[in-house]
Amino acid sequence: MSRHETGAAAPEARPAEERTPPGEATSPTPNGAPGTRPGTALGGGPGTRPGLALDDGPGDELGGAPESGAAPPPSSVRQVARLLASEAGLTFRRPRNLAMLGVLAVVPVLVGVAVRLASGDTGGSIIGEIAGNGLMLTFAAFAVMTPIVLPLTVAVVAGDAVAGEAAQGTLRYLLVAPVGRARLLALKYANVVLFCLAACAVVALSALAVGLALFPAGPVTLLSGTTVPASAALLRIGIVVLYAAAGMAALGAVALAVSTLTEAPIGAVAASVVLVVVSQVLSAIPQLAAVRPYLLTTWWTAFDGALRAPVDVDRMGQGLLAFAAYVLVFGSIAWARFTSKDVTA
């Protein structure tokens, strides 16, 4: 006799709720299916911290909520410091930039050797004073290198800051970092400022080393005729380094603004250098004396105010204000462009 005829019917399938005893947890599944703990799905359910990566540390499963006691995310200050250190590391490890710093260190050596081999002219110019006091080589080096050598070096680094990333196709990936575009641009400019300080420091240290090695050192006679001790002269050298770095940082803001307008780094560098050359030409034309105070290159040589007694604070202060105005204007241009442009490279 069949089972159907004896009345022993097959057991009916119970609903899913009845198959799982109350209070018994189901095993979690990676795709957020029923029974998954809240916050373990890839999309991040309730309890998920926004912005977590898939490998957010111990206790997180596929980007879900961390277990108790997990370390908090790094502060924005540490994050900015890491990004700035990364930018500076890339800048100062690049062979091209190291070669340019090497050139900046060699030029004072060439000037010192040329003066040493000359007939010993001790005229009234800064270069003529080197033979009598090696400390004057530092001021002479800045007088020689400020018009074109230092600006060219800074223009290469600043012009490549954004356009170089776009040309290499890494700018899109850089923007994936959890930092806004405005902050990223500020980090780029901070890196340019660091390079300007490093470049001016290299010039000063190289000139000091060569000057002390080839010439006697002692009290320095300033352009105003006053003699100051060597310690005071070293302090004035520090003032010159900071002032020259501020002038180069203003040029860096110009080159950075141009760098946001193009994806060709060579174009940004060339445009910045052309601006420097044109400004110097305009400064040399007497009929255009009215525009001279508005040109960036006009104030680069105002560091000679540190060679006067007392220090020409008025002229150097006007130069710093001019540098700040250039940074503000071209920094605003760079910000407006970089925060609104479509990054396709």
Side-chain angles (χ1 to χ4, degrees):
M1 185 179 295
S2 67
R3 295 169 57 93
H4 182 70
E5 294 175 342
T6 58
E12 297 180 0
R14 290 181 299 170
E17 305 83 43
E18 298 178 6
R19 288 200 301 268
T20 303
E24 181 177 335
T26 57
S27 60
T29 56
N31 58 358
T36 305
R37 291 186 305 170
T40 58
L42 286 176
T48 304
R49 289 186 298 175
L52 280 177
L54 291 180
D55 55 348
D56 220 33
D60 288 351
E61 297 181 8
L62 299 176
E67 299 291 343
S68 60
S75 63
S76 59
V77 175
R78 292 175 56 190
Q79 187 181 69
V80 169
R82 285 203 307 267
L83 289 174
L84 181 57
S86 176
E87 284 288 330
L90 290 175
T91 299
F92 288 99
R93 286 196 304 264
R94 185 167 294 180
R96 177 196 63 192
N97 298 340
L98 293 177
M100 292 190 299
L101 291 176
V103 171
L104 295 181
V106 167
V107 172
V109 177
L110 297 179
V111 174
V113 172
V115 174
R116 181 69 176 179
L117 297 178
S119 59
D121 179 19
T122 57
S125 65
I126 294 180
I127 294 188
E129 295 290 338
I130 297 175
N133 196 325
L135 295 178
M136 295 298 294
L137 179 58
T138 304
F139 304 110
F142 277 101
V144 170
M145 302 175 68
T146 298
I148 190 63
V149 181
L150 272 173
L152 177 60
T153 304
V154 173
V156 170
V157 174
D160 188 67
V162 176
E165 299 275 5
Q168 295 174 8
T170 58
L171 186 57
R172 286 184 299 176
Y173 303 101
L174 187 62
L175 292 176
V176 173
V179 59
R181 290 194 180 192
R183 185 177 296 180
L184 178 61
L185 185 66
L187 287 172
K188 291 282 188 183
Y189 182 66
N191 180 57
V192 172
V193 173
L194 288 178
F195 184 83
C196 294
L197 285 171
C200 293
V202 165
V203 173
L205 293 175
S206 175
L208 277 175
V210 175
L212 295 177
L214 299 181
F215 307 101
V220 176
T221 301
L222 303 177
L223 296 179
S224 57
T226 305
T227 300
V228 297
S231 58
L234 291 176
L235 178 60
R236 292 170 185 262
I237 289 175
I239 295 175
V240 170
V241 169
L242 293 178
Y243 183 88
M248 295 302 105
L251 175 63
V254 176
L256 185 63
V258 178
S259 182
T260 62
L261 302 175
T262 178
E263 295 182 358
I266 187 63
V269 174
S272 304
V273 174
V274 168
L275 176 64
V276 172
V277 173
V278 171
S279 298
Q280 291 176 344
V281 170
L282 295 178
S283 298
I285 300 176
Q287 291 78 7
L288 298 178
V291 302
R292 192 174 301 167
Y294 303 98
L295 300 177
L296 179 61
T297 56
T298 301
W299 302 101
W300 282 349
T301 56
F303 68 83
D304 61 359
L307 294 176
R308 305 183 185 278
V311 176
D312 194 351
V313 177
D314 292 339
R315 177 169 171 77
M316 296 183 71
Q318 292 177 5
L320 292 176
L321 288 177
F323 299 155
Y326 268 83
V327 171
L328 179 61
V329 172
F330 286 92
S332 300
I333 294 174
W335 172 82
R337 173 60 178 169
F338 189 67
T339 56
S340 61
K341 68 181 298 186
D342 292 331
V343 178
T344 59

